[in-house]
């Protein structure tokens, strides 16, 4: 909802579920085809290899009184000349990217680097999948996903995959949602 945010959106099912964002996204792709997957990897590569180093250099060059925390703050992001506005990469059905036979390994490595380093520099990675198991999300990605949101899931294993180990045991159960609960979910880490 931040009007200064730059959106790069990929819906990797091809259903057009996120097509409403095409009008406001800097980059938009929808499809399960190799071309859309490659475009998604190219976007990740550009953000990690070009945008991240540029932002790191910008932050490092700022005086301590302006940037005491060595990270992007809302005040710094508002200064257009610095180019530190929020940049959000959204990948829906990310398992189709991570498990891709040609691009999957590279995509996983780029996602891991972005999720580990990006947040402090205003680079946000949003990944969506129905089952975030080890083949859908590399451990380095899932271990660093600090904010998690879970809609209805079918079982305890899936519940804990999304929300964290033992959440089901502690009463946080996305298995209890019904068809009447569309759009309702559990948010952890925020």
């Amino acid at each position: 909802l931040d009007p200064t945010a730059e959106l790069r959106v990929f819906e990797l099912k091809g259903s057009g579920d996120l097509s409403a964002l095409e009008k406001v996204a800097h980059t938009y792709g929808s499809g399960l085809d190799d071309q859309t997957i490659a475009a998604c990897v190219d976007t990740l590569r550009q953000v990690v290899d070009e945008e991240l180093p540029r932002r790191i250099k910008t932050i490092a060059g700022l005086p301590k009184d302006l940037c005491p925390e060595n990270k992007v703050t809302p005040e710094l992001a508002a200064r257009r000349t610095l180019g530190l506005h929020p940049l959000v990469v959204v990948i829906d059905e990310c398992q189709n990217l991570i498990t891709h036979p040609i691009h999957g390994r590279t995509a996983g490595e780029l996602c891991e680097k972005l999720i580990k380093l990006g947040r402090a520099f205003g680079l946000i990675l949003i990944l969506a999948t129905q089952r975030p198991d080890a083949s859908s999300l590399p451990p380095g990605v899932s271990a660093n996903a600090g904010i998690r949101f879970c809609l209805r899931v079918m079982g305890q294993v899936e519940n804990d995959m999304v929300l964290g180990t033992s959440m089901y045991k502690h009463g946080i159960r996305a298995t209890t949602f019904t068809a009447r609960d569309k759009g309702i979910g559990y948010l952890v880490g925020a």
Side-chain angles (χ1 to χ4, degrees):
L1 298 175
D2 184 337
T4 65
E6 179 179 330
L7 298 177
R8 300 188 183 199
V9 179
F10 289 89
E11 177 270 303
L12 301 179
K13 183 170 54 173
S15 64
D17 286 351
L18 302 178
S19 62
L21 296 176
E22 185 173 10
K23 295 175 183 175
V24 296
H26 179 268
T27 306
Y28 176 81
S30 176
L32 188 54
D33 56 280
D34 289 345
Q35 184 178 358
T36 304
I37 298 283
C40 184
V41 172
D42 288 344
T43 293
L44 286 167
R45 187 176 286 115
Q46 189 276 325
V47 171
V48 169
D49 292 346
E50 297 172 28
E51 189 64 22
L52 179 60
R54 184 194 67 75
R55 287 172 180 241
I56 290 171
K57 185 177 180 182
T58 299
I59 290 290
L62 294 174
K64 283 290 180 198
D65 63 323
L66 185 61
C67 187
E69 300 176 48
N70 296 317
K71 65 180 183 179
V72 174
T73 62
E75 295 77 25
L76 291 175
R79 293 181 173 219
R80 290 187 176 274
T81 58
L82 295 176
L84 297 173
H85 58 282
L87 191 157
V88 183
V89 178
V90 178
I91 306 172
D92 187 24
E93 303 294 349
C94 66
Q95 74 281 356
N96 294 329
L97 173 68
I98 302 298
T99 63
H100 191 273
I102 298 167
H103 301 291
R105 182 182 180 111
T106 299
E109 291 168 359
L110 291 167
C111 284
E112 186 171 341
K113 189 168 186 180
L114 182 55
I115 203 163
K116 286 180 176 180
L117 299 174
R119 188 170 173 197
F121 300 100
L123 303 172
I124 308 301
L125 178 62
I126 298 175
L127 300 171
T129 183
Q130 291 179 12
R131 186 174 169 86
D133 58 18
S135 63
S136 298
L137 287 178
V141 172
S142 59
N144 285 283
I147 300 173
R148 297 164 180 234
F149 183 72
C150 186
L151 298 167
R152 182 176 182 224
V153 292
M154 301 311 292
Q156 174 189 347
V157 172
E158 294 80 9
N159 188 88
D160 287 355
M161 277 182 190
V162 177
L163 297 173
T165 304
S166 299
M167 293 299 273
Y168 186 90
K169 185 172 99 175
H170 294 298
I172 308 300
R173 297 180 177 171
T175 57
T176 61
F177 296 134
T178 67
R180 293 182 313 211
D181 299 319
K182 288 183 179 178
I184 296 175
Y186 281 109
L187 178 67
V188 296

